[in-house]
Amino acid sequence: MKASEKGLSLIRSFEGLRLLAYKDLGGIVTIGYGTTAGVKMGDTVTKAEAEELLRLDVQRFVDHIAALVTVPLNQNHIDALAALVYNIGPSAFAQSTLLKRINDGRHDLAASEFERWVNAGGKRINGLVRRRAAERALYESMDT
């Protein structure tokens, strides 16, 4: 199971590219297209390094998805879930109603769960509302 360029593009569009480490809305030190593992303030990356970090991070999250999901997924499902889990983390996904709905074979109900993940720091974030809408649209899309 792998994310396609469609999934990677979705992540890039919402994460943006930052070549110098910064603290995100949650105060987590981040670099590139949202990489957090091992990042320290003052770190820098090139665009090529950011791309490689993105691909490695996304594959790690896709591997988590593959280990947790017990039903077949199409490529749009994989891409949408990769974008979601890249943002919320595998632990949150593992405990989510969204995962339960997927594993129950209820993709229709799973899609409606995306909109529940729109808060950061206890506040509704418009950027997350837009991101979840895009992820849900991809999840529900029949275009592959």
Side-chain angles (χ1 to χ4, degrees):
M1 186 182 293
K2 289 184 78 102
S4 74
E5 184 55 38
K6 190 185 295 186
L8 294 171
S9 291
L10 180 62
I11 293 168
R12 282 187 207 102
S13 73
F14 282 100
E15 292 291 339
L17 174 61
R18 302 275 294 268
L19 302 179
L20 177 63
Y22 67 98
K23 288 189 179 181
D24 69 7
L25 289 174
I28 298 168
V29 181
T30 306
I31 202 163
Y33 292 105
T35 295
T36 58
V39 180
K40 302 177 301 304
M41 290 304 292
D43 286 352
T44 62
V45 293
T46 65
K47 184 174 182 188
E49 290 168 333
E51 282 290 329
E52 181 61 19
L53 289 170
L54 172 66
R55 290 178 188 283
L56 291 170
D57 287 345
V58 169
Q59 188 56 53
R60 193 168 29 108
F61 293 127
V62 168
D63 291 344
H64 283 289
I65 293 163
L68 294 167
V69 173
T70 60
V71 299
L73 298 173
N74 68 34
Q75 189 62 52
N76 288 339
H77 292 152
I78 295 165
D79 289 337
L81 291 172
L84 175 74
V85 176
Y86 190 82
N87 188 241
I88 70 170
S91 296
F93 178 66
Q95 299 172 24
S96 70
T97 302
L98 189 150
L99 176 60
K100 182 178 180 344
R101 299 289 181 249
I102 292 168
N103 285 337
D104 288 344
R106 296 299 311 267
H107 291 289
D108 56 331
L109 295 177
S112 67
E113 291 293 317
F114 279 85
E115 63 197 43
R116 297 182 75 192
W117 297 91
V118 296
N119 296 320
K123 296 180 184 173
R124 185 177 175 91
I125 306 296
N126 288 336
L128 290 178
V129 172
R130 288 189 303 276
R131 182 177 184 147
R132 298 302 171 247
E135 291 164 351
R136 179 180 181 168
L138 179 56
Y139 189 87
E140 294 179 310
S141 175
M142 298 309 253
D143 173 44
T144 54

